[in-house]
Amino acid sequence: MSRKRPTVADLRAMKGKRQLTMLRVLTLEEAEAAERAGVDIDSVPPELVLNPQYRDAAPSLFTMPGDNFFEIGTADDFVRWSFRLYKAGADAVYCSAGYATIKRMADDAIPVIGHVGLIPSRATWTGGFKAVGKTADTAMQVFEAVKQLEAAGAIGAEIEVVPVEVAKAISERTSLIMLSMGAGTGCDAQYLFAEDILGTNRGHMPRHSKVYRNFAAEYDRLQQERIAAFSEYVADVNSGAYPEDRHVVHMDPEELTLFMKKVDAKS
């Protein structure tokens, strides 16, 4: 049975009623897998949603392309960027730029998702890659940031690595759709990266990540199979085992005789 792609109004109506699921996916294959698995929301690189095949792979995923603010530019750049993505089939856009930029897009009816807590592209302001909001004062700063996003016209916010108690209290006091990355179940959606779930991430594994498969080991096995296959090919060429007669075409003997007479005459 096919699913209906949710609208912003649908997501707002679901707030507080059930936990939504969200993934960061990077490829059409991952998007299709998320669709077939019943994931609700996906975050994607902008180029993926611009791929004409994307909506065939993920017709019902609420899709949110995004990039770091410094990759896009000014508020006007963000508006042009978001219009192009919205036209291509995006349902909302992620923006970690300032409130004025978010308001600029929201004023033009672009659904915008902001970011609070640990914001990787701005982590220097909160002390680096660590939890944010562990004191009453810093927790209030997260709350105030959410209220600023509300005032700017955002529809939601990723809330990253914030204490679960703080995230729950904030989610209960905002109309924004709160997307939890390591901030507990008091928010509206749980957000993980596909690379962590699939075990392709060979670097640091965040506390909030959970590995369900070991694709890295499978990729390593496939790489060894590639090397073995290529080595066998090299050995076959060196030994004369490749090509075999079945890999080539032959000329009709009469035509070959005629060709050889002609080519010899030109030699």
Side-chain angles (χ1 to χ4, degrees), residues 134-227:
K134 295 179 74 173
T135 68
D137 287 344
T138 56
M140 278 304 299
Q141 290 172 9
V142 177
F143 177 67
E144 287 161 3
V146 167
K147 288 303 178 180
Q148 291 262 45
L149 289 173
E150 275 186 17
I155 67 160
E158 178 182 345
I159 181 167
E160 184 168 351
V161 195
V162 169
V164 294
E165 301 86 354
V166 173
K168 182 176 185 295
I170 291 174
S171 188
E172 290 171 347
R173 290 164 174 80
T174 180
S175 60
L176 297 186
I177 302 156
M178 299 302 291
L179 311 171
S180 166
M181 179 167 278
T185 59
C187 302
D188 302 303
Q190 295 302 311
Y191 181 16
L192 287 179
F193 279 29
E195 66 177 3
D196 292 337
I197 286 179
L198 298 177
T200 59
N201 176 12
R202 298 176 188 268
H204 170 71
M205 294 296 293
R207 178 198 295 266
H208 57 262
S209 66
K210 184 174 181 180
V211 179
Y212 289 79
R213 293 293 185 275
N214 189 355
F215 274 36
E218 183 65 12
Y219 289 153
D220 287 344
R221 185 190 69 79
L222 288 173
Q223 181 66 357
Q224 291 306 309
E225 288 295 317
R226 286 189 190 98
I227 295 168

Side-chain angles (χ1 to χ4, degrees), residues 44-150:
V44 300
E47 59 271 18
L48 189 59
V49 80
L50 292 172
N51 186 324
Q53 297 177 298
Y54 176 74
R55 276 304 176 191
D56 291 332
S60 72
L61 283 175
F62 186 94
T63 295
M64 182 185 82
D67 212 338
N68 287 318
F69 67 91
F70 47 74
E71 301 289 352
I72 300 167
T74 66
D76 286 341
D77 295 328
F78 263 95
V79 170
R80 284 189 289 270
W81 172 82
S82 62
F83 279 177
R84 185 174 177 225
L85 293 168
Y86 203 51
K87 181 180 178 181
D91 298 293
V93 296
Y94 164 85
C95 177
S96 62
Y99 304 118
T101 298
I102 290 171
K103 185 176 188 306
R104 179 76 174 80
M105 287 189 285
D107 284 347
D108 279 320
I110 295 296
V112 185
I113 302 289
H115 201 154
V116 298
L118 170 58
I119 306 171
S121 59
R122 289 193 268 153
T124 189
W125 294 98
T126 53
F129 288 84
K130 61 182 183 180
V132 176
K134 295 179 74 173
T135 68
D137 287 344
T138 56
M140 278 304 299
Q141 290 172 9
V142 177
F143 177 67
E144 287 161 3
V146 167
K147 288 303 178 180
Q148 291 262 45
L149 289 173
E150 275 186 17

